[in-house]
Amino acid sequence: MKLLKYIFKNPLEFLLCIILVSLVIISFAQVISRYVLHVSLSWSEESCRFLLMWLGMLSAAYGFKIKAHFSLSFIKNKFSKRFQRLVTFITTGLMSLFLLIFIFFAVEITLTGLGRLGPGTQLSYAVPYSSTIVGGILMLYYLLRSFYKDNFLEKIKIKQFKK
């Protein structure tokens, strides 16, 4: 029951764990197959590459979720609160613009992969390329969510507390 609660509460983290475990299992199976059975699996390298693309993009989104990406907050904190809010607003706007452009081009690249199939897995290249779309959308969502929480929910909580 606790596992189900965790899965529904943290689907991104659960999916990252599943992908990582899958990568380890497939890589281990390839090593065993190659060095013990002397037969190479035709699909393992390609599937690991596809999974690694998903892992990278979802991990970047997870970084946005927990605010783990690099920032120069020690410089920003030396200025007034008003200037800090302005810098936060500008950087969030620029990052949002970048992510929207990123998502636009990710859609274009994914559409080019629709007709191509991977030789080992026979999966469409749109499957791994779509990781950029999903990752970009999640990064934009977590960026805007944290901006909203930091700038608007705090003000609402402060006003409620003063009353």
Side-chain angles (χ1 to χ4, degrees), residues 96-109:
S96 298
L97 179 65
F98 169 78
L99 288 170
L100 287 171
I101 294 168
F102 178 83
I103 293 166
F104 174 77
F105 285 107
V107 169
E108 280 190 359
I109 290 172

Side-chain angles (χ1 to χ4, degrees), residues 35-104:
Y35 293 108
V36 174
L37 304 175
H38 303 291
V39 177
S40 182
L41 300 175
S42 61
W43 53 271
S44 62
E45 181 186 346
E46 190 174 296
S47 59
C48 283
R49 189 172 48 241
F50 289 176
L51 285 171
L52 197 57
M53 290 174 71
W54 275 96
L55 184 70
M57 292 307 299
L58 294 178
S59 295
Y62 180 70
F64 273 86
K65 181 179 181 179
I66 64 169
K67 298 180 186 180
H69 289 293
F70 179 75
S71 71
L72 298 174
S73 55
F74 67 92
I75 294 174
K76 186 178 82 169
N77 292 339
K78 292 184 179 188
F79 295 100
S80 68
K81 291 286 184 191
R82 187 174 183 189
F83 185 74
Q84 289 178 17
R85 276 189 242 118
L86 177 67
V87 169
T88 302
F89 183 76
I90 291 171
T91 55
T92 302
L94 289 173
M95 280 298 302
S96 298
L97 179 65
F98 169 78
L99 288 170
L100 287 171
I101 294 168
F102 178 83
I103 293 166
F104 174 77

Side-chain angles (χ1 to χ4, degrees), residues 12-29:
L12 180 60
E13 291 86 340
F14 180 73
L15 187 57
L16 284 169
C17 289
I18 294 296
I19 292 172
L20 187 61
V21 168
S22 299
L23 271 167
V24 170
I25 290 171
I26 293 170
S27 297
F28 184 71

Side-chain angles (χ1 to χ4, degrees), residues 117-153:
L117 294 178
T121 59
Q122 294 300 307
L123 275 174
S124 170
Y125 273 93
V127 172
Y129 292 167
S130 63
S131 67
T132 55
I133 299 171
V134 174
I137 290 170
L138 286 173
M139 285 186 266
L140 183 61
Y141 167 73
Y142 288 126
L143 174 71
L144 296 176
R145 185 181 85 163
S146 71
F147 177 75
Y148 177 76
K149 279 183 176 181
D150 293 346
N151 293 295
F152 298 109
L153 286 183

